[in-house]
Coordinates of all heavy atoms in Angstrom, one line a residue:
M1 N 0.9 -1.2 0.0 CA 0.0 0.0 0.0 C 0.9 1.2 0.0 O 2.0 1.2 0.6 CB -0.9 0.0 1.2 CG -2.0 -1.0 1.2 SD -3.3 -0.6 2.3 CE -4.0 -2.2 2.6
D2 N 0.4 2.3 -0.6 CA 1.1 3.6 -0.7 C 0.5 4.5 0.3 O -0.7 4.6 0.6 CB 0.9 4.2 -2.1 CG 1.5 3.3 -3.2 OD1 2.6 2.8 -2.9 OD2 1.0 3.3 -4.3
K3 N 1.4 5.3 1.0 CA 1.0 6.3 2.0 C 0.5 7.5 1.2 O 1.1 7.9 0.2 CB 2.2 6.6 2.8 CG 2.0 7.6 3.9 CD 3.2 7.7 4.8 CE 3.2 8.9 5.6 NZ 4.4 9.1 6.4
V4 N -0.6 8.1 1.7 CA -1.2 9.3 1.1 C -1.6 10.3 2.2 O -1.7 9.9 3.3 CB -2.5 8.9 0.2 CG1 -2.1 8.0 -1.0 CG2 -3.5 8.3 1.1
S5 N -1.7 11.5 1.8 CA -2.1 12.5 2.7 C -3.6 12.7 2.7 O -4.2 12.6 1.6 CB -1.5 13.9 2.3 OG -0.1 13.8 2.4
V6 N -4.2 12.9 3.9 CA -5.6 13.0 4.0 C -5.9 14.5 4.2 O -5.4 15.1 5.2 CB -6.2 12.2 5.1 CG1 -7.7 12.4 5.3 CG2 -5.9 10.7 4.9
K7 N -6.7 15.1 3.4 CA -7.0 16.5 3.5 C -8.5 16.7 3.8 O -9.3 16.0 3.2 CB -6.7 17.3 2.2 CG -5.2 17.4 1.9 CD -5.1 18.2 0.6 CE -3.6 18.4 0.2 NZ -3.5 19.2 -1.0
V8 N -8.8 17.6 4.7 CA -10.2 18.1 4.9 C -10.2 19.6 4.7 O -9.4 20.3 5.4 CB -10.6 17.7 6.3 CG1 -12.0 18.3 6.6 CG2 -10.7 16.2 6.5
D9 N -11.0 20.1 3.9 CA -11.1 21.5 3.6 C -9.7 22.1 3.1 O -9.4 23.2 3.5 CB -11.7 22.3 4.7 CG -13.1 22.0 4.9 OD1 -13.8 21.7 4.0 OD2 -13.6 22.1 6.1
G10 N -9.0 21.3 2.4 CA -7.7 21.7 1.9 C -6.5 21.7 2.9 O -5.4 22.0 2.5
K11 N -6.8 21.2 4.1 CA -5.7 21.1 5.1 C -5.3 19.6 5.4 O -6.2 18.8 5.6 CB -6.2 21.8 6.4 CG -5.2 21.7 7.5 CD -5.7 22.3 8.8 CE -4.7 22.2 9.9 NZ -5.2 22.6 11.2
I12 N -4.1 19.4 5.3 CA -3.6 18.0 5.6 C -3.8 17.7 7.1 O -3.3 18.5 7.9 CB -2.2 17.8 5.2 CG1 -2.0 17.9 3.6 CG2 -1.7 16.4 5.6 CD1 -0.6 17.9 3.2
I13 N -4.5 16.6 7.4 CA -4.8 16.3 8.8 C -4.2 15.0 9.3 O -4.0 14.8 10.5 CB -6.3 16.3 9.1 CG1 -7.0 15.2 8.3 CG2 -7.0 17.6 8.9 CD1 -8.4 14.8 8.8
A14 N -3.9 14.1 8.3 CA -3.3 12.8 8.7 C -2.8 12.1 7.5 O -2.9 12.6 6.4 CB -4.4 12.0 9.4
D15 N -2.2 11.0 7.7 CA -1.8 10.1 6.7 C -2.8 8.9 6.5 O -3.4 8.5 7.5 CB -0.4 9.5 6.9 CG 0.7 10.5 6.9 OD1 0.6 11.5 6.1 OD2 1.6 10.4 7.7
G16 N -3.0 8.5 5.3 CA -3.8 7.4 5.0 C -3.1 6.4 4.1 O -1.9 6.6 3.9
L17 N -3.8 5.4 3.7 CA -3.2 4.3 2.8 C -4.0 4.1 1.6 O -5.2 4.0 1.7 CB -3.0 3.0 3.6 CG -2.1 3.0 4.8 CD1 -2.2 1.7 5.6 CD2 -0.7 3.3 4.4
L18 N -3.4 4.0 0.5 CA -4.1 3.7 -0.8 C -3.8 2.3 -1.2 O -2.6 1.9 -1.4 CB -3.6 4.7 -1.9 CG -4.2 4.5 -3.2 CD1 -5.7 4.7 -3.2 CD2 -3.6 5.4 -4.2
G19 N -4.8 1.5 -1.3 CA -4.6 0.0 -1.6 C -4.4 -0.2 -3.1 O -4.7 0.7 -3.9
K20 N -3.7 -1.2 -3.4 CA -3.4 -1.6 -4.8 C -4.5 -2.2 -5.5 O -4.6 -2.1 -6.7 CB -2.2 -2.6 -4.8 CG -0.9 -2.1 -4.1 CD -0.1 -1.2 -5.0 CE 1.1 -0.8 -4.3 NZ 1.8 0.3 -4.8
K21 N -5.5 -2.8 -4.8 CA -6.6 -3.5 -5.5 C -7.8 -2.6 -5.3 O -8.2 -2.1 -4.3 CB -6.9 -4.8 -4.8 CG -5.7 -5.8 -5.0 CD -6.1 -7.1 -4.4 CE -4.9 -8.1 -4.6 NZ -5.2 -9.4 -4.0
A22 N -8.5 -2.4 -6.5 CA -9.8 -1.7 -6.5 C -9.7 -0.3 -6.0 O -10.8 0.3 -5.6 CB -10.9 -2.5 -5.8
G23 N -8.6 0.3 -5.9 CA -8.5 1.7 -5.5 C -9.0 2.0 -4.1 O -9.6 3.1 -3.9
V24 N -8.9 1.1 -3.2 CA -9.4 1.3 -1.9 C -8.5 2.2 -1.1 O -7.3 2.1 -1.1 CB -9.5 0.0 -1.1 CG1 -9.9 0.1 0.3 CG2 -10.5 -1.0 -1.8
T25 N -9.1 3.2 -0.4 CA -8.4 4.2 0.4 C -8.8 4.0 1.8 O -10.0 4.0 2.2 CB -8.6 5.6 -0.1 OG1 -8.3 5.7 -1.4 CG2 -7.8 6.6 0.7
Y26 N -7.8 3.9 2.7 CA -8.0 3.8 4.2 C -7.6 5.1 4.8 O -6.5 5.6 4.6 CB -7.2 2.7 4.8 CG -7.5 1.3 4.2 CD1 -6.8 0.9 3.1 CD2 -8.5 0.5 4.7 CE1 -7.1 -0.4 2.5 CE2 -8.8 -0.7 4.2 CZ -8.1 -1.1 3.1 OH -8.4 -2.3 2.6
V27 N -8.5 5.7 5.6 CA -8.3 7.0 6.3 C -8.4 6.7 7.8 O -9.2 5.9 8.2 CB -9.2 8.1 5.8 CG1 -9.0 8.4 4.3 CG2 -10.6 7.8 6.1
P28 N -7.7 7.6 8.6 CA -7.9 7.5 10.0 C -9.2 8.2 10.4 O -9.3 9.4 10.4 CB -6.7 8.3 10.6 CG -6.3 9.2 9.5 CD -6.6 8.5 8.2
L29 N -10.2 7.4 10.7 CA -11.6 7.9 11.0 C -11.6 8.9 12.1 O -12.3 9.9 12.0 CB -12.5 6.7 11.2 CG -14.0 7.0 11.5 CD1 -14.6 7.7 10.3 CD2 -14.7 5.7 11.8
Q30 N -10.9 8.6 13.2 CA -10.9 9.5 14.3 C -10.4 10.9 13.9 O -11.0 11.9 14.3 CB -10.2 8.9 15.5 CG -10.4 9.7 16.8 CD -11.8 9.7 17.3 OE1 -12.3 8.6 17.6 NE2 -12.4 10.8 17.4
A31 N -9.3 11.0 13.2 CA -8.8 12.3 12.8 C -9.7 13.0 11.9 O -9.9 14.3 12.0 CB -7.4 12.0 12.1
V32 N -10.3 12.3 11.0 CA -11.3 13.0 10.1 C -12.5 13.5 10.9 O -12.9 14.6 10.8 CB -11.7 12.1 9.0 CG1 -12.9 12.7 8.2 CG2 -10.6 11.7 8.0
A33 N -13.0 12.6 11.8 CA -14.2 13.1 12.6 C -13.9 14.3 13.5 O -14.7 15.2 13.6 CB -14.6 11.9 13.4
D34 N -12.7 14.2 14.1 CA -12.3 15.3 15.0 C -12.2 16.6 14.2 O -12.7 17.7 14.7 CB -11.0 15.1 15.6 CG -11.0 14.0 16.7 OD1 -12.1 13.6 17.1 OD2 -9.9 13.5 17.1
T35 N -11.7 16.6 13.0 CA -11.5 17.8 12.2 C -12.9 18.3 11.8 O -13.1 19.5 11.7 CB -10.7 17.5 10.9 OG1 -9.4 17.0 11.3 CG2 -10.5 18.7 10.0
L36 N -13.8 17.4 11.6 CA -15.2 17.9 11.2 C -16.1 18.1 12.4 O -17.3 18.5 12.2 CB -15.8 16.8 10.3 CG -15.1 16.6 9.0 CD1 -15.7 15.4 8.2 CD2 -15.1 17.8 8.1
G37 N -15.6 18.0 13.6 CA -16.4 18.2 14.8 C -17.4 17.1 15.1 O -18.5 17.3 15.7
A38 N -17.1 15.9 14.5 CA -18.1 14.8 14.7 C -17.5 13.8 15.8 O -16.3 13.9 16.2 CB -18.3 14.0 13.4
S39 N -18.3 12.9 16.2 CA -17.8 11.9 17.1 C -17.8 10.5 16.5 O -18.6 10.3 15.5 CB -18.6 11.8 18.4 OG -20.0 11.5 18.1
V40 N -17.0 9.6 16.9 CA -16.9 8.2 16.5 C -17.3 7.3 17.6 O -16.7 7.4 18.6 CB -15.5 7.9 15.9 CG1 -15.5 6.5 15.4 CG2 -15.2 8.8 14.7
E41 N -18.2 6.4 17.3 CA -18.5 5.4 18.3 C -18.3 4.0 17.7 O -18.5 3.8 16.5 CB -20.0 5.5 18.8 CG -20.2 6.8 19.5 CD -21.6 6.9 20.0 OE1 -22.4 6.0 19.9 OE2 -22.0 8.1 20.3
W42 N -17.9 3.0 18.5 CA -17.7 1.6 18.0 C -18.8 0.7 18.6 O -19.1 0.7 19.7 CB -16.3 1.2 18.5 CG -16.1 -0.3 18.1 CD1 -16.0 -1.4 18.9 CD2 -15.8 -0.8 16.8 NE1 -15.7 -2.5 18.2 CE2 -15.6 -2.2 16.9 CE3 -15.8 -0.3 15.5 CZ2 -15.4 -3.0 15.8 CZ3 -15.5 -1.1 14.4 CH2 -15.3 -2.4 14.6
D43 N -19.4 -0.1 17.7 CA -20.4 -1.1 18.1 C -19.7 -2.4 17.9 O -19.5 -2.9 16.8 CB -21.6 -1.0 17.2 CG -22.8 -1.9 17.6 OD1 -22.4 -3.0 18.1 OD2 -23.9 -1.5 17.5
S44 N -19.3 -3.1 19.0 CA -18.6 -4.3 19.0 C -19.5 -5.5 18.5 O -19.0 -6.4 17.9 CB -18.0 -4.7 20.3 OG -19.0 -4.8 21.3
K45 N -20.8 -5.4 18.6 CA -21.7 -6.4 18.2 C -21.8 -6.5 16.6 O -21.7 -7.5 16.0 CB -23.1 -6.3 18.7 CG -23.2 -6.6 20.2 CD -24.6 -6.4 20.7 CE -24.6 -6.6 22.2 NZ -25.9 -6.4 22.8
T46 N -21.9 -5.3 16.0 CA -22.0 -5.2 14.5 C -20.7 -4.9 13.9 O -20.5 -4.9 12.7 CB -23.0 -4.2 14.1 OG1 -22.6 -2.9 14.6 CG2 -24.4 -4.5 14.6
K47 N -19.7 -4.6 14.7 CA -18.3 -4.3 14.3 C -18.4 -3.1 13.3 O -17.9 -3.2 12.1 CB -17.6 -5.5 13.7 CG -17.4 -6.5 14.7 CD -16.5 -7.6 14.2 CE -16.3 -8.7 15.3 NZ -15.6 -9.8 14.9
T48 N -19.1 -2.1 13.6 CA -19.2 -0.9 12.8 C -18.8 0.4 13.6 O -19.0 0.4 14.9 CB -20.7 -0.7 12.3 OG1 -21.5 -0.7 13.4 CG2 -21.1 -1.8 11.4
A49 N -18.3 1.4 12.9 CA -18.0 2.6 13.5 C -18.9 3.7 13.0 O -19.4 3.6 11.9 CB -16.5 3.0 13.2

């Protein structure tokens, strides 16, 4: 995977990863949520954030 910069409103906030297959991009959810003023919760039963 290749390291990429994650930008929100033109400002780099964190690093992410770009997958080689199907153009999948992984971003640090907490960093994006914090920047947007949102919260992140984890549901262990459904394994969803």
Side-chain angles (χ1 to χ4, degrees):
M1 285 197 207
D2 296 322
K3 185 175 164 182
V4 296
S5 296
V6 177
K7 291 183 179 182
V8 174
D9 291 332
K11 180 181 176 186
I12 295 174
I13 61 162
D15 291 326
L17 298 172
L18 180 63
K20 302 280 185 198
K21 295 181 181 179
V24 175
T25 304
Y26 298 91
V27 298
L29 181 59
Q30 189 66 57
V32 173
D34 289 347
T35 301
L36 297 173
S39 62
V40 177
E41 295 180 12
W42 177 252
D43 184 326
S44 60
K45 289 181 182 177
T46 61
K47 296 185 179 178
T48 57

